[in-house]
Amino acid sequence: MKTSSIGRKLIQSFEGYSSEAYLCPAGVWTIGYGHTRNVKQGDTCTREQADIFLQEDLKTAEDAVNAQNLKLGQLQFDALVSFVYNVGAGAFESSTLLKKLKTSTAATSEIEAEWKKWKYANKVELKGLVRRRAAEYALYKRGFFLLTLPIVILAAIVTVVVIIKNRKK
């Protein structure tokens, strides 16, 4: 499977765009839409390069999800790709979340609990990760983002918040 435009927008809304390399809360140099491979201090990128990085990173996350042979609908796939995009394929592949997803007897509450555990960077709970996990899980479970708020509106709100936060720095 491939990530839909909904999944892509979800990832972009939570990652945000940065033309300059920065240290993320986990202490990793990051640029574009959460791209980390071979990024170092002082690196810059255009939106076009960020889109290329995004496509490459999406493929890595998609391959990790597809390799698990899970029976997923499109929006469930999108939610898992967003999760893997953020935590990394290795962390996903060794996670209890994946074990629960592969167990047909796992209750949805168990899957939700495992999903939402991934809210820390350097042992600090981050509000952004709490929101991201809630959004991903809502997409996974219900097949749509929030009951009353379309993803496009939420993405716009998150983008404005990120812009405002970045201006304050």
Side-chain angles (χ1 to χ4, degrees), residues 3-57:
T3 307
S4 74
S5 62
I6 291 171
R8 187 181 177 108
K9 286 176 184 170
L10 175 69
I11 292 166
Q12 287 176 303
S13 71
F14 280 102
E15 293 293 342
Y17 165 72
S18 177
S19 63
E20 297 178 9
Y22 65 94
L23 275 177
C24 75
V28 177
W29 285 104
T30 306
I31 200 166
Y33 298 104
H35 179 73
T36 59
R37 191 177 53 242
N38 299 322
V39 178
K40 60 189 179 314
Q41 184 176 9
D43 284 353
T44 61
C45 75
T46 63
R47 282 215 186 254
E48 292 76 24
Q49 185 60 51
D51 286 337
I52 293 168
F53 289 153
L54 175 63
Q55 197 56 45
E56 292 169 357
D57 295 340

Side-chain angles (χ1 to χ4, degrees), residues 78-148:
D78 289 348
L80 274 173
V81 168
S82 176
F83 179 85
V84 174
Y85 191 99
N86 182 243
V87 305
F92 171 64
E93 290 163 0
S94 63
S95 71
T96 303
L97 171 61
L98 179 57
K99 290 179 183 86
K100 297 284 183 188
L101 291 170
K102 287 185 167 188
T103 304
S104 61
T105 59
T108 55
S109 60
E110 293 177 89
I111 293 170
E112 180 178 15
E114 288 302 322
W115 201 302
K116 292 183 176 180
K117 284 181 181 177
W118 293 82
K119 59 186 176 182
Y120 299 95
N122 289 327
K123 300 181 182 179
V124 175
E125 182 178 301
L126 301 180
K127 290 179 184 178
L129 288 179
V130 171
R131 287 190 301 273
R132 183 176 186 152
R133 298 300 169 245
E136 290 167 345
Y137 186 73
L139 185 64
Y140 178 85
K141 183 178 178 194
R142 294 182 196 93
F144 51 89
F145 198 70
L146 295 175
L147 294 174
T148 59

